[in-house]
Amino acid sequence: MRQDYTDVQNIYIVCGKTDMRKGIDGLATLIQDSFDLDPYGDSIFLFAGGKKDRYKCLYFDGDGFAMLYKRLDSGKLQWPRSEREVKNLTQQELRWLLEGLAIQQPRAIAPSLKSSF
């Protein structure tokens, strides 16, 4: 099983509320049928319920699916509310989200574009 997820190709967050009773098969079906994405690709898929104090992470590691389920003891995630939408996150946005911050940080310094001198 993969231990380092920092070089995964895509990090997808399923916005809004997901039924947290769903297991691996239910979440993989949701990914395929509702969002037309490939759950077998090199991608992490994140889901949260209505309370925003727990999330699930689904990943296919080549020989099977791995699912992480985490419940926070205190605090809540700032999960995007727009229902039935999937966003592709950067590693930085994922860190912000899992630290309890919003994925959009207006005061963060944006990466600069190349310019000519």
Side-chain angles (χ1 to χ4, degrees):
M1 188 165 111
R2 185 179 201 156
Q3 300 296 319
D4 180 15
Y5 295 96
T6 57
D7 63 343
V8 78
Q9 187 175 359
N10 293 299
I11 302 167
Y12 292 110
I13 180 173
V14 177
C15 302
K17 181 171 61 171
T18 300
D19 182 355
M20 295 302 278
R21 296 174 294 180
K22 291 183 186 285
I24 290 173
D25 294 339
L27 294 174
T29 300
L30 179 69
I31 292 164
Q32 281 182 324
D33 294 348
S34 297
F35 304 111
D36 200 28
L37 293 171
D38 181 13
Y40 292 96
D42 187 24
S43 302
I44 291 174
F45 298 92
L46 298 161
F47 309 86
K51 294 182 178 182
K52 309 291 188 260
D53 67 341
R54 55 198 75 195
Y55 66 92
K56 286 186 178 180
C57 174
L58 186 66
Y59 179 74
F60 183 76
D61 68 358
D63 61 3
F65 282 97
M67 184 170 67
L68 169 84
Y69 179 73
K70 182 167 183 172
R71 186 195 71 212
L72 302 174
D73 283 338
S74 63
K76 293 185 182 286
L77 299 167
Q78 292 193 33
W79 209 263
R81 295 182 183 154
S82 52
E83 292 288 325
R84 312 311 301 162
E85 181 185 356
V86 172
K87 292 184 180 190
N88 198 342
L89 302 181
T90 64
Q91 289 286 339
Q92 179 66 57
E93 290 169 331
L94 176 62
R95 277 192 299 278
W96 284 334
L97 177 72
L98 299 181
E99 290 172 357
L101 303 171
I103 59 174
Q104 300 298 325
Q105 293 292 315
R107 293 189 178 189
I109 297 173
S112 64
L113 302 173
K114 291 183 181 181
S115 61
S116 57
F117 294 97

